[in-house]
């Protein structure tokens, strides 16, 4: 069966890095028999430019029909003045919500070749391989009531609601345990149960789900402590499962442990394994269009898509091996460059990965 892949370049460095992903997918089709067809659609600021909406109807339609979705990045200063509902970020949040992509996998892996690019000492981050599982369609990002209004006494106020139902907590907890079963069988649930009722319910439900996974060692940690532990002793973690906003923050911190946010892919999955794949870095408008962007997070996102949504494990492994080879060869985009390596641009890096693909 032909896989339908929708690529959505988006804004900033998005088009450059997605160009490299498209090059990679085409090489897999032409040289390694990947049966896939590619379509392209605008999202974010590009969606607004093309159709007046950050998530154009046609893009959503194609997204619903696709088996795998690849996104570059959204957002940029050009769109900062737009009304709230037209902002690029709304396109990303809308596609997550519309497709019910509740399970967001954000691995933080330190490639041995890049150990010296991390801001932390090699003995603290060497061999790091953790997975942050972020709930993606609930919590403060989507909870109601929300808004900015004026109180009776004339004072303006802004508010959001962190809200989770038991089924929402249960399904992300199950994802967490399932992932832990495939790894080192350790799951740390991060919450703020000493302050928030929603976290108390979270903890209760996670404990309940744990009964179905006797082989997984479950622990709980408050989010402030988790932030500290991530930079103090990150290797203590295997899988972290947490709510939407905590996951947003902790995954950026975890990403930086690996030296560059430019290396990390992510997957956002629905209940059936369909997913949206994107590098976890943003649109980086400051470096857009200059060939400075690191395409590896996007190429590794393609690998995740092949593995988790398209069931093409061998192709996924092929891509990951090629990335490893290129790093072994000393090629580095500026974000991961260190003395003695070859500094290359976005396209050279993408082409090198394609050239390094093998049987
Ligand atoms: C992320 C980003 C998004 C988020 C923004 C762009 C809306 O920071 O994917 O982590 O907060 O979820
Ligand atoms: Mg974020």
């Amino acid at each position: 069966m032909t896989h339908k892949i929708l690529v959505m370049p988006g804004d900033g460095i998005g088009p450059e890095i997605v160009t490299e992903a498209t090059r990679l997918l085409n090489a897999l089709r032409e040289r390694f028999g990947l049966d896939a067809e590619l379509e392209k659609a605008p999202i974010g600021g590009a969606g607004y430019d093309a159709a007046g909406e950050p998530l154009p109807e046609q893009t959503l339609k194609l997204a619903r029909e696709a088996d795998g979705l690849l996104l570059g990045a959204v957002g940029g200063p050009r769109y900062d003045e737009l009304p709230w509902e037209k902002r690029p970020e709304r396109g990303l949040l809308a596609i997550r919500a519309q497709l019910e992509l509740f399970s967001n996998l954000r691995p933080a892996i330190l490639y041995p070749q890049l150990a010296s690019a991390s801001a932390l000492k090699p003995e603290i981050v060497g061999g790091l391989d953790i997975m942050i599982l972020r709930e993606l369609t609930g919590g403060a990002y989507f909870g109601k009531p929300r808004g900015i209004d004026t109180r009776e006494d004339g004072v303006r106020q802004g508010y959001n609601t962190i809200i989770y139902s038991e089924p929402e907590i249960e399904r992300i907890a199950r994802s967490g345990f399932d992932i832990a079963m495939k790894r080192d069988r350790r799951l740390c649930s991060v919450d703020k149960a000493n302050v928030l009722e929603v976290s108390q319910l979270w903890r209760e439900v996670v404990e309940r789900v744990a009964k179905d996974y006797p082989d997984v060692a479950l622990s709980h940690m408050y989010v402030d402590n988790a932030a500290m532990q991530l930079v103090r002793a990150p290797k203590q973690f295997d899988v972290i499962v947490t709510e939407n906003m905590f996951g947003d923050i902790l995954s950026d911190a975890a990403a930086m442990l690996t030296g560059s946010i430019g290396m990390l892919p992510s997957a956002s999955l629905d209940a059936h394994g369909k997913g949206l794949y994107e590098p976890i870095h943003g649109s980086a408008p400051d470096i857009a269009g200059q060939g400075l962007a690191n395409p590896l997070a996007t190429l590794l996102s393609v690998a995740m898509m092949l593995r988790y949504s398209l069931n093409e494990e061998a192709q996924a492994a092929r891509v990951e091996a090629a990335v490893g080879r290129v790093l072994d060869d000393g090629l580095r985009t500026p974000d991961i460059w260190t003395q003695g390596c070859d500094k290359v641009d976005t396209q050279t890096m993408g082409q090198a990965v394609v050239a390094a693909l093998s049987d």
Side-chain angles (χ1 to χ4, degrees):
M1 204 190 64
T2 307
H3 305 300
K4 285 186 171 177
I5 300 173
L6 182 66
V7 299
M8 296 174 287
D11 312 318
I13 59 172
E16 296 160 69
I17 55 182
V18 168
T19 296
E20 299 315 314
T22 305
R23 186 194 311 281
L24 173 68
L25 282 163
N26 284 332
L28 293 175
R29 287 164 63 196
E30 288 154 20
R31 287 168 45 206
F32 299 97
L34 178 69
D35 188 5
E37 59 188 41
L38 270 61
E39 282 239 46
K40 194 169 149 183
I43 194 169
Y48 176 78
D49 291 338
E53 298 290 337
L55 179 59
E57 221 167 280
Q58 178 65 9
T59 300
L60 181 59
K61 179 169 173 287
L62 290 170
R64 287 192 196 285
E65 291 163 3
D67 305 310
L69 309 164
L70 183 75
L71 178 90
V74 299
R78 219 150 67 69
Y79 306 104
D80 280 354
E81 302 306 314
L82 288 175
W84 182 246
E85 285 307 319
K86 304 279 184 190
R87 299 274 288 266
E89 292 77 9
R90 302 305 303 171
L92 183 56
L93 296 172
I95 200 168
R96 288 173 179 170
Q98 290 286 336
L99 300 183
E100 288 191 73
L101 307 171
F102 69 92
S103 178
N104 181 215
L105 283 63
R106 299 190 163 194
I109 295 171
L110 180 69
Y111 285 78
Q113 301 95 325
L114 301 182
S116 58
S118 175
L120 274 77
K121 297 192 198 87
E123 59 269 30
I124 291 178
V125 289
L128 185 77
D129 177 357
I130 64 184
M131 177 70 86
I132 297 194
L133 179 64
R134 168 186 176 193
E135 200 292 328
L136 203 58
T137 54
Y141 276 58
F142 297 96
K144 291 188 177 125
R146 63 188 297 160
I148 301 173
D149 59 23
T150 306
R151 290 191 328 214
E152 273 173 17
D153 62 2
V155 174
R156 291 180 77 218
Q157 59 181 8
Y159 48 92
N160 290 87
T161 307
I162 306 178
I163 184 162
Y164 274 103
S165 66
E166 285 197 303
E168 282 177 306
I169 302 169
E170 178 164 344
R171 67 179 179 178
I172 192 69
R174 283 198 188 283
S175 300
F177 283 103
D178 287 339
I179 292 167
M181 282 299 287
K182 293 187 190 144
R183 295 173 47 103
D184 201 34
R185 303 191 173 185
R186 289 179 294 122
L187 181 67
C188 179
S189 171
V190 170
D191 62 37
K192 191 70 185 173
N194 51 345
V195 178
L196 304 175
E197 285 84 350
V198 62
S199 281
Q200 285 167 17
L201 182 68
W202 177 280
R203 210 174 255 228
E204 203 180 289
V205 174
V206 171
E207 289 282 355
R208 195 163 69 216
V209 173
K211 297 203 172 78
D212 295 339
Y213 296 86
D215 295 334
V216 175
L218 172 69
S219 59
H220 300 277
M221 198 180 274
Y222 297 140
V223 62
D224 48 350
N225 186 25
M228 181 177 79
Q229 296 301 333
L230 268 177
V231 289
R232 193 187 74 85
K235 285 190 273 183
Q236 71 184 280
F237 298 109
D238 178 25
V239 182
I240 290 176
V241 61
T242 191
E243 65 103 59
N244 202 344
M245 190 158 57
F246 296 163
D248 177 44
I249 299 165
L250 293 181
S251 63
D252 268 26
M256 209 52 219
L257 300 174
T258 71
S260 171
I261 199 163
M263 289 299 298
L264 298 177
S266 76
S268 306
L269 305 176
D270 73 2
H272 314 286
K274 173 166 169 167
L276 171 75
Y277 298 81
E278 51 178 323
I280 89 155
H281 59 69
S283 58
D286 53 319
I287 61 163
Q290 302 168 51
L292 295 171
N294 184 347
L296 294 181
T298 313
L299 304 187
L300 292 167
S301 297
V302 169
M304 277 189 109
M305 173 166 68
L306 291 163
R307 173 171 299 125
Y308 289 106
S309 288
L310 308 183
N311 214 3
E312 296 276 3
E313 173 60 35
Q315 302 279 12
R318 173 171 289 130
V319 172
E320 288 164 350
V323 169
R325 264 180 227 122
V326 166
L327 292 175
D328 284 340
D329 288 345
L331 271 62
R332 304 282 188 271
T333 43
D335 57 307
I336 51 172
W337 181 83
T338 45
Q339 205 70 40
C341 294
D342 270 347
K343 201 182 276 184
V344 299
D345 64 15
T346 310
Q347 187 179 335
T348 307
M349 185 62 111
Q351 287 169 336
V353 172
V354 167
L357 293 169
S358 77
D359 289 319

